[in-house]
PDB file of all heavy atoms in Angstrom:
ATOM      1  N   PHE G   1     155.629 134.564 224.270  1.00  0.00           N
ATOM      2  CA  PHE G   1     156.905 135.063 224.781  1.00  0.00           C
ATOM      3  C   PHE G   1     157.437 136.178 223.881  1.00  0.00           C
ATOM      4  O   PHE G   1     157.798 137.270 224.352  1.00  0.00           O
ATOM      5  CB  PHE G   1     157.901 133.906 224.874  1.00  0.00           C
ATOM      6  CG  PHE G   1     159.280 134.316 225.284  1.00  0.00           C
ATOM      7  CD1 PHE G   1     159.536 134.754 226.571  1.00  0.00           C
ATOM      8  CD2 PHE G   1     160.325 134.278 224.373  1.00  0.00           C
ATOM      9  CE1 PHE G   1     160.816 135.146 226.949  1.00  0.00           C
ATOM     10  CE2 PHE G   1     161.598 134.664 224.743  1.00  0.00           C
ATOM     11  CZ  PHE G   1     161.843 135.100 226.033  1.00  0.00           C
ATOM     12  N   LEU G   2     157.454 135.934 222.565  1.00  0.00           N
ATOM     13  CA  LEU G   2     157.931 136.953 221.628  1.00  0.00           C
ATOM     14  C   LEU G   2     157.000 138.156 221.595  1.00  0.00           C
ATOM     15  O   LEU G   2     157.452 139.300 221.478  1.00  0.00           O
ATOM     16  CB  LEU G   2     158.079 136.353 220.230  1.00  0.00           C
ATOM     17  CG  LEU G   2     159.222 135.359 220.040  1.00  0.00           C
ATOM     18  CD1 LEU G   2     159.176 134.759 218.655  1.00  0.00           C
ATOM     19  CD2 LEU G   2     160.560 136.013 220.286  1.00  0.00           C
ATOM     20  N   SER G   3     155.704 137.910 221.717  1.00  0.00           N
ATOM     21  CA  SER G   3     154.754 139.027 221.709  1.00  0.00           C
ATOM     22  C   SER G   3     154.932 139.914 222.931  1.00  0.00           C
ATOM     23  O   SER G   3     154.834 141.141 222.837  1.00  0.00           O
ATOM     24  CB  SER G   3     153.319 138.495 221.661  1.00  0.00           C
ATOM     25  OG  SER G   3     153.109 137.754 220.496  1.00  0.00           O
ATOM     26  N   ALA G   4     155.191 139.290 224.090  1.00  0.00           N
ATOM     27  CA  ALA G   4     155.412 140.085 225.307  1.00  0.00           C
ATOM     28  C   ALA G   4     156.674 140.939 225.169  1.00  0.00           C
ATOM     29  O   ALA G   4     156.673 142.126 225.539  1.00  0.00           O
ATOM     30  CB  ALA G   4     155.515 139.157 226.509  1.00  0.00           C
ATOM     31  N   ILE G   5     157.742 140.359 224.612  1.00  0.00           N
ATOM     32  CA  ILE G   5     158.973 141.138 224.400  1.00  0.00           C
ATOM     33  C   ILE G   5     158.716 142.262 223.402  1.00  0.00           C
ATOM     34  O   ILE G   5     159.184 143.393 223.585  1.00  0.00           O
ATOM     35  CB  ILE G   5     160.113 140.221 223.926  1.00  0.00           C
ATOM     36  CG1 ILE G   5     160.495 139.240 225.026  1.00  0.00           C
ATOM     37  CG2 ILE G   5     161.329 141.034 223.521  1.00  0.00           C
ATOM     38  CD1 ILE G   5     161.539 138.240 224.615  1.00  0.00           C
ATOM     39  N   LEU G   6     157.962 141.968 222.347  1.00  0.00           N
ATOM     40  CA  LEU G   6     157.671 142.977 221.335  1.00  0.00           C
ATOM     41  C   LEU G   6     156.872 144.132 221.931  1.00  0.00           C
ATOM     42  O   LEU G   6     157.175 145.305 221.681  1.00  0.00           O
ATOM     43  CB  LEU G   6     156.910 142.339 220.172  1.00  0.00           C
ATOM     44  CG  LEU G   6     156.476 143.266 219.037  1.00  0.00           C
ATOM     45  CD1 LEU G   6     157.672 143.941 218.412  1.00  0.00           C
ATOM     46  CD2 LEU G   6     155.700 142.504 218.003  1.00  0.00           C
ATOM     47  N   LEU G   7     155.852 143.827 222.727  1.00  0.00           N
ATOM     48  CA  LEU G   7     155.057 144.891 223.339  1.00  0.00           C
ATOM     49  C   LEU G   7     155.878 145.711 224.328  1.00  0.00           C
ATOM     50  O   LEU G   7     155.769 146.940 224.376  1.00  0.00           O
ATOM     51  CB  LEU G   7     153.835 144.294 224.033  1.00  0.00           C
ATOM     52  CG  LEU G   7     152.746 143.742 223.103  1.00  0.00           C
ATOM     53  CD1 LEU G   7     151.659 143.071 223.912  1.00  0.00           C
ATOM     54  CD2 LEU G   7     152.165 144.857 222.255  1.00  0.00           C
ATOM     55  N   LEU G   8     156.716 145.040 225.103  1.00  0.00           N
ATOM     56  CA  LEU G   8     157.561 145.747 226.060  1.00  0.00           C
ATOM     57  C   LEU G   8     158.571 146.647 225.332  1.00  0.00           C
ATOM     58  O   LEU G   8     158.793 147.801 225.725  1.00  0.00           O
ATOM     59  CB  LEU G   8     158.280 144.745 226.955  1.00  0.00           C
ATOM     60  CG  LEU G   8     159.150 145.336 228.060  1.00  0.00           C
ATOM     61  CD1 LEU G   8     158.272 146.051 229.071  1.00  0.00           C
ATOM     62  CD2 LEU G   8     159.962 144.255 228.731  1.00  0.00           C
ATOM     63  N   ALA G   9     159.172 146.129 224.260  1.00  0.00           N
ATOM     64  CA  ALA G   9     160.128 146.933 223.489  1.00  0.00           C
ATOM     65  C   ALA G   9     159.439 148.118 222.823  1.00  0.00           C
ATOM     66  O   ALA G   9     159.984 149.228 222.799  1.00  0.00           O
ATOM     67  CB  ALA G   9     160.822 146.059 222.443  1.00  0.00           C
ATOM     68  N   ALA G  10     158.236 147.904 222.282  1.00  0.00           N
ATOM     69  CA  ALA G  10     157.504 149.006 221.648  1.00  0.00           C
ATOM     70  C   ALA G  10     157.113 150.062 222.671  1.00  0.00           C
ATOM     71  O   ALA G  10     157.155 151.262 222.382  1.00  0.00           O
ATOM     72  CB  ALA G  10     156.263 148.463 220.943  1.00  0.00           C
ATOM     73  N   LEU G  11     156.759 149.638 223.881  1.00  0.00           N
ATOM     74  CA  LEU G  11     156.438 150.592 224.943  1.00  0.00           C
ATOM     75  C   LEU G  11     157.677 151.391 225.348  1.00  0.00           C
ATOM     76  O   LEU G  11     157.605 152.608 225.563  1.00  0.00           O
ATOM     77  CB  LEU G  11     155.857 149.849 226.145  1.00  0.00           C
ATOM     78  CG  LEU G  11     155.343 150.708 227.289  1.00  0.00           C
ATOM     79  CD1 LEU G  11     154.131 151.501 226.835  1.00  0.00           C
ATOM     80  CD2 LEU G  11     154.990 149.841 228.478  1.00  0.00           C
ATOM     81  N   CYS G  12     158.814 150.718 225.407  1.00  0.00           N
ATOM     82  CA  CYS G  12     160.058 151.413 225.755  1.00  0.00           C
ATOM     83  C   CYS G  12     160.497 152.377 224.660  1.00  0.00           C
ATOM     84  O   CYS G  12     161.145 153.392 224.954  1.00  0.00           O
ATOM     85  CB  CYS G  12     161.159 150.403 226.038  1.00  0.00           C
ATOM     86  SG  CYS G  12     160.920 149.513 227.574  1.00  0.00           S
ATOM     87  N   VAL G  13     160.166 152.091 223.398  1.00  0.00           N
ATOM     88  CA  VAL G  13     160.540 152.989 222.301  1.00  0.00           C
ATOM     89  C   VAL G  13     159.930 154.370 222.509  1.00  0.00           C
ATOM     90  O   VAL G  13     160.572 155.393 222.267  1.00  0.00           O
ATOM     91  CB  VAL G  13     160.106 152.401 220.938  1.00  0.00           C
ATOM     92  CG1 VAL G  13     160.184 153.435 219.835  1.00  0.00           C
ATOM     93  CG2 VAL G  13     160.975 151.218 220.577  1.00  0.00           C
ATOM     94  N   ILE G  14     158.706 154.413 222.985  1.00  0.00           N
ATOM     95  CA  ILE G  14     158.028 155.719 223.109  1.00  0.00           C
ATOM     96  C   ILE G  14     158.139 156.324 224.498  1.00  0.00           C
ATOM     97  O   ILE G  14     157.779 157.475 224.685  1.00  0.00           O
ATOM     98  CB  ILE G  14     156.546 155.606 222.708  1.00  0.00           C
ATOM     99  CG1 ILE G  14     155.825 154.598 223.593  1.00  0.00           C
ATOM    100  CG2 ILE G  14     156.406 155.245 221.256  1.00  0.00           C
ATOM    101  CD1 ILE G  14     154.340 154.552 223.373  1.00  0.00           C
ATOM    102  N   THR G  15     158.628 155.574 225.480  1.00  0.00           N
ATOM    103  CA  THR G  15     158.702 156.123 226.834  1.00  0.00           C
ATOM    104  C   THR G  15     160.123 156.433 227.302  1.00  0.00           C
ATOM    105  O   THR G  15     160.294 157.224 228.224  1.00  0.00           O
ATOM    106  CB  THR G  15     158.061 155.155 227.847  1.00  0.00           C
ATOM    107  OG1 THR G  15     158.700 153.882 227.758  1.00  0.00           O
ATOM    108  CG2 THR G  15     156.578 155.018 227.589  1.00  0.00           C
ATOM    109  N   VAL G  16     161.135 155.836 226.697  1.00  0.00           N
ATOM    110  CA  VAL G  16     162.516 156.075 227.126  1.00  0.00           C
ATOM    111  C   VAL G  16     162.915 157.495 226.759  1.00  0.00           C
ATOM    112  O   VAL G  16     162.584 157.994 225.690  1.00  0.00           O
ATOM    113  CB  VAL G  16     163.453 155.035 226.468  1.00  0.00           C
ATOM    114  CG1 VAL G  16     164.895 155.365 226.722  1.00  0.00           C
ATOM    115  CG2 VAL G  16     163.149 153.664 226.993  1.00  0.00           C
ATOM    116  N   ARG G  17     163.657 158.143 227.643  1.00  0.00           N
ATOM    117  CA  ARG G  17     164.030 159.543 227.423  1.00  0.00           C
ATOM    118  C   ARG G  17     165.182 159.707 226.439  1.00  0.00           C
ATOM    119  O   ARG G  17     165.213 160.661 225.678  1.00  0.00           O
ATOM    120  CB  ARG G  17     164.415 160.190 228.748  1.00  0.00           C
ATOM    121  CG  ARG G  17     163.270 160.316 229.698  1.00  0.00           C
ATOM    122  CD  ARG G  17     163.729 160.877 231.022  1.00  0.00           C
ATOM    123  NE  ARG G  17     162.632 160.923 231.962  1.00  0.00           N
ATOM    124  CZ  ARG G  17     162.031 162.027 232.335  1.00  0.00           C
ATOM    125  NH1 ARG G  17     162.411 163.166 231.826  1.00  0.00           N
ATOM    126  NH2 ARG G  17     161.046 161.995 233.192  1.00  0.00           N
ATOM    127  N   ASN G  18     166.111 158.783 226.447  1.00  0.00           N
ATOM    128  CA  ASN G  18     167.286 158.890 225.583  1.00  0.00           C
ATOM    129  C   ASN G  18     166.951 158.364 224.185  1.00  0.00           C
ATOM    130  O   ASN G  18     166.491 157.230 224.035  1.00  0.00           O
ATOM    131  CB  ASN G  18     168.433 158.076 226.197  1.00  0.00           C
ATOM    132  CG  ASN G  18     169.750 158.345 225.518  1.00  0.00           C
ATOM    133  OD1 ASN G  18     169.794 158.814 224.393  1.00  0.00           O
ATOM    134  ND2 ASN G  18     170.830 158.053 226.211  1.00  0.00           N
ATOM    135  N   PRO G  19     167.171 159.165 223.120  1.00  0.00           N
ATOM    136  CA  PRO G  19     166.835 158.703 221.768  1.00  0.00           C
ATOM    137  C   PRO G  19     167.665 157.505 221.303  1.00  0.00           C
ATOM    138  O   PRO G  19     167.183 156.683 220.521  1.00  0.00           O
ATOM    139  CB  PRO G  19     167.089 159.916 220.874  1.00  0.00           C
ATOM    140  CG  PRO G  19     167.465 161.032 221.736  1.00  0.00           C
ATOM    141  CD  PRO G  19     167.605 160.549 223.130  1.00  0.00           C
ATOM    142  N   VAL G  20     168.894 157.387 221.767  1.00  0.00           N
ATOM    143  CA  VAL G  20     169.727 156.245 221.379  1.00  0.00           C
ATOM    144  C   VAL G  20     169.156 154.963 221.982  1.00  0.00           C
ATOM    145  O   VAL G  20     169.045 153.933 221.305  1.00  0.00           O
ATOM    146  CB  VAL G  20     171.190 156.460 221.805  1.00  0.00           C
ATOM    147  CG1 VAL G  20     172.026 155.237 221.501  1.00  0.00           C
ATOM    148  CG2 VAL G  20     171.765 157.676 221.121  1.00  0.00           C
ATOM    149  N   HIS G  21     168.750 155.022 223.253  1.00  0.00           N
ATOM    150  CA  HIS G  21     168.128 153.847 223.870  1.00  0.00           C
ATOM    151  C   HIS G  21     166.812 153.502 223.186  1.00  0.00           C
ATOM    152  O   HIS G  21     166.469 152.326 223.013  1.00  0.00           O
ATOM    153  CB  HIS G  21     167.899 154.102 225.360  1.00  0.00           C
ATOM    154  CG  HIS G  21     169.158 154.260 226.130  1.00  0.00           C
ATOM    155  ND1 HIS G  21     169.206 154.811 227.384  1.00  0.00           N
ATOM    156  CD2 HIS G  21     170.451 153.964 225.818  1.00  0.00           C
ATOM    157  CE1 HIS G  21     170.445 154.831 227.824  1.00  0.00           C
ATOM    158  NE2 HIS G  21     171.222 154.327 226.873  1.00  0.00           N
ATOM    159  N   SER G  22     166.062 154.531 222.795  1.00  0.00           N
ATOM    160  CA  SER G  22     164.808 154.305 222.079  1.00  0.00           C
ATOM    161  C   SER G  22     165.053 153.582 220.755  1.00  0.00           C
ATOM    162  O   SER G  22     164.324 152.653 220.393  1.00  0.00           O
ATOM    163  CB  SER G  22     164.116 155.642 221.835  1.00  0.00           C
ATOM    164  OG  SER G  22     162.945 155.475 221.102  1.00  0.00           O
ATOM    165  N   ALA G  23     166.090 153.983 220.033  1.00  0.00           N
ATOM    166  CA  ALA G  23     166.417 153.320 218.765  1.00  0.00           C
ATOM    167  C   ALA G  23     166.861 151.879 218.995  1.00  0.00           C
ATOM    168  O   ALA G  23     166.531 150.983 218.217  1.00  0.00           O
ATOM    169  CB  ALA G  23     167.501 154.103 218.032  1.00  0.00           C
ATOM    170  N   LEU G  24     167.599 151.626 220.077  1.00  0.00           N
ATOM    171  CA  LEU G  24     168.016 150.256 220.369  1.00  0.00           C
ATOM    172  C   LEU G  24     166.823 149.377 220.753  1.00  0.00           C
ATOM    173  O   LEU G  24     166.766 148.193 220.397  1.00  0.00           O
ATOM    174  CB  LEU G  24     169.065 150.258 221.473  1.00  0.00           C
ATOM    175  CG  LEU G  24     170.417 150.854 221.065  1.00  0.00           C
ATOM    176  CD1 LEU G  24     171.349 150.938 222.258  1.00  0.00           C
ATOM    177  CD2 LEU G  24     171.053 150.053 219.950  1.00  0.00           C
ATOM    178  N   PHE G  25     165.850 149.936 221.467  1.00  0.00           N
ATOM    179  CA  PHE G  25     164.627 149.181 221.749  1.00  0.00           C
ATOM    180  C   PHE G  25     163.842 148.909 220.472  1.00  0.00           C
ATOM    181  O   PHE G  25     163.194 147.869 220.333  1.00  0.00           O
ATOM    182  CB  PHE G  25     163.754 149.920 222.766  1.00  0.00           C
ATOM    183  CG  PHE G  25     164.157 149.675 224.184  1.00  0.00           C
ATOM    184  CD1 PHE G  25     164.633 150.699 224.976  1.00  0.00           C
ATOM    185  CD2 PHE G  25     164.054 148.406 224.742  1.00  0.00           C
ATOM    186  CE1 PHE G  25     165.006 150.481 226.281  1.00  0.00           C
ATOM    187  CE2 PHE G  25     164.424 148.171 226.047  1.00  0.00           C
ATOM    188  CZ  PHE G  25     164.902 149.199 226.820  1.00  0.00           C
ATOM    189  N   LEU G  26     163.908 149.824 219.511  1.00  0.00           N
ATOM    190  CA  LEU G  26     163.262 149.584 218.225  1.00  0.00           C
ATOM    191  C   LEU G  26     163.939 148.436 217.473  1.00  0.00           C
ATOM    192  O   LEU G  26     163.273 147.641 216.800  1.00  0.00           O
ATOM    193  CB  LEU G  26     163.268 150.865 217.394  1.00  0.00           C
ATOM    194  CG  LEU G  26     162.404 150.877 216.145  1.00  0.00           C
ATOM    195  CD1 LEU G  26     160.957 150.587 216.469  1.00  0.00           C
ATOM    196  CD2 LEU G  26     162.512 152.215 215.452  1.00  0.00           C
ATOM    197  N   VAL G  27     165.257 148.337 217.595  1.00  0.00           N
ATOM    198  CA  VAL G  27     165.976 147.199 217.013  1.00  0.00           C
ATOM    199  C   VAL G  27     165.495 145.892 217.650  1.00  0.00           C
ATOM    200  O   VAL G  27     165.260 144.896 216.968  1.00  0.00           O
ATOM    201  CB  VAL G  27     167.501 147.380 217.189  1.00  0.00           C
ATOM    202  CG1 VAL G  27     168.245 146.109 216.859  1.00  0.00           C
ATOM    203  CG2 VAL G  27     167.999 148.525 216.333  1.00  0.00           C
ATOM    204  N   LEU G  28     165.323 145.894 218.972  1.00  0.00           N
ATOM    205  CA  LEU G  28     164.799 144.705 219.654  1.00  0.00           C
ATOM    206  C   LEU G  28     163.396 144.372 219.173  1.00  0.00           C
ATOM    207  O   LEU G  28     163.063 143.192 218.952  1.00  0.00           O
ATOM    208  CB  LEU G  28     164.808 144.931 221.170  1.00  0.00           C
ATOM    209  CG  LEU G  28     164.230 143.806 222.025  1.00  0.00           C
ATOM    210  CD1 LEU G  28     165.041 142.529 221.862  1.00  0.00           C
ATOM    211  CD2 LEU G  28     164.150 144.226 223.474  1.00  0.00           C
ATOM    212  N   ALA G  29     162.579 145.390 218.958  1.00  0.00           N
ATOM    213  CA  ALA G  29     161.224 145.152 218.446  1.00  0.00           C
ATOM    214  C   ALA G  29     161.261 144.537 217.052  1.00  0.00           C
ATOM    215  O   ALA G  29     160.476 143.644 216.730  1.00  0.00           O
ATOM    216  CB  ALA G  29     160.435 146.462 218.438  1.00  0.00           C
ATOM    217  N   PHE G  30     162.195 145.001 216.204  1.00  0.00           N
ATOM    218  CA  PHE G  30     162.313 144.426 214.866  1.00  0.00           C
ATOM    219  C   PHE G  30     162.749 142.964 214.923  1.00  0.00           C
ATOM    220  O   PHE G  30     162.249 142.128 214.166  1.00  0.00           O
ATOM    221  CB  PHE G  30     163.297 145.235 214.019  1.00  0.00           C
ATOM    222  CG  PHE G  30     162.753 146.543 213.545  1.00  0.00           C
ATOM    223  CD1 PHE G  30     163.600 147.624 213.361  1.00  0.00           C
ATOM    224  CD2 PHE G  30     161.414 146.711 213.278  1.00  0.00           C
ATOM    225  CE1 PHE G  30     163.112 148.836 212.921  1.00  0.00           C
ATOM    226  CE2 PHE G  30     160.911 147.923 212.840  1.00  0.00           C
ATOM    227  CZ  PHE G  30     161.765 148.985 212.661  1.00  0.00           C
ATOM    228  N   PHE G  31     163.687 142.654 215.807  1.00  0.00           N
ATOM    229  CA  PHE G  31     164.144 141.266 215.924  1.00  0.00           C
ATOM    230  C   PHE G  31     163.021 140.348 216.397  1.00  0.00           C
ATOM    231  O   PHE G  31     162.848 139.246 215.883  1.00  0.00           O
ATOM    232  CB  PHE G  31     165.338 141.174 216.877  1.00  0.00           C
ATOM    233  CG  PHE G  31     166.656 141.291 216.193  1.00  0.00           C
ATOM    234  CD1 PHE G  31     167.480 142.378 216.435  1.00  0.00           C
ATOM    235  CD2 PHE G  31     167.087 140.327 215.295  1.00  0.00           C
ATOM    236  CE1 PHE G  31     168.703 142.508 215.805  1.00  0.00           C
ATOM    237  CE2 PHE G  31     168.310 140.439 214.658  1.00  0.00           C
ATOM    238  CZ  PHE G  31     169.113 141.534 214.915  1.00  0.00           C
ATOM    239  N   THR G  32     162.250 140.790 217.380  1.00  0.00           N
ATOM    240  CA  THR G  32     161.152 139.933 217.853  1.00  0.00           C
ATOM    241  C   THR G  32     160.043 139.832 216.808  1.00  0.00           C
ATOM    242  O   THR G  32     159.391 138.791 216.698  1.00  0.00           O
ATOM    243  CB  THR G  32     160.589 140.462 219.183  1.00  0.00           C
ATOM    244  OG1 THR G  32     160.266 141.843 219.040  1.00  0.00           O
ATOM    245  CG2 THR G  32     161.585 140.292 220.297  1.00  0.00           C
ATOM    246  N   SER G  33     159.837 140.889 216.024  1.00  0.00           N
ATOM    247  CA  SER G  33     158.873 140.795 214.916  1.00  0.00           C
ATOM    248  C   SER G  33     159.339 139.772 213.884  1.00  0.00           C
ATOM    249  O   SER G  33     158.533 139.018 213.333  1.00  0.00           O
ATOM    250  CB  SER G  33     158.696 142.154 214.236  1.00  0.00           C
ATOM    251  OG  SER G  33     158.170 143.084 215.125  1.00  0.00           O
ATOM    252  N   ALA G  34     160.644 139.745 213.643  1.00  0.00           N
ATOM    253  CA  ALA G  34     161.180 138.735 212.724  1.00  0.00           C
ATOM    254  C   ALA G  34     160.968 137.332 213.280  1.00  0.00           C
ATOM    255  O   ALA G  34     160.681 136.390 212.532  1.00  0.00           O
ATOM    256  CB  ALA G  34     162.662 138.986 212.478  1.00  0.00           C
ATOM    257  N   GLY G  35     161.104 137.178 214.607  1.00  0.00           N
ATOM    258  CA  GLY G  35     160.810 135.876 215.217  1.00  0.00           C
ATOM    259  C   GLY G  35     159.358 135.473 215.035  1.00  0.00           C
ATOM    260  O   GLY G  35     159.054 134.303 214.779  1.00  0.00           O
TER     261      GLY G  35
END
C-alpha cells in the first residue's frame, strides 16, 4: 500500500505541470518513505 502511494507520488512529481503541486507530491513521497 505504501509502495503504491510512493510510486504514484514519485510519478506525479515529474509529470505535474505546476511546480508547487510537484513539491507537495514530493512531500507525500517523503512521508510514505518514512512509513
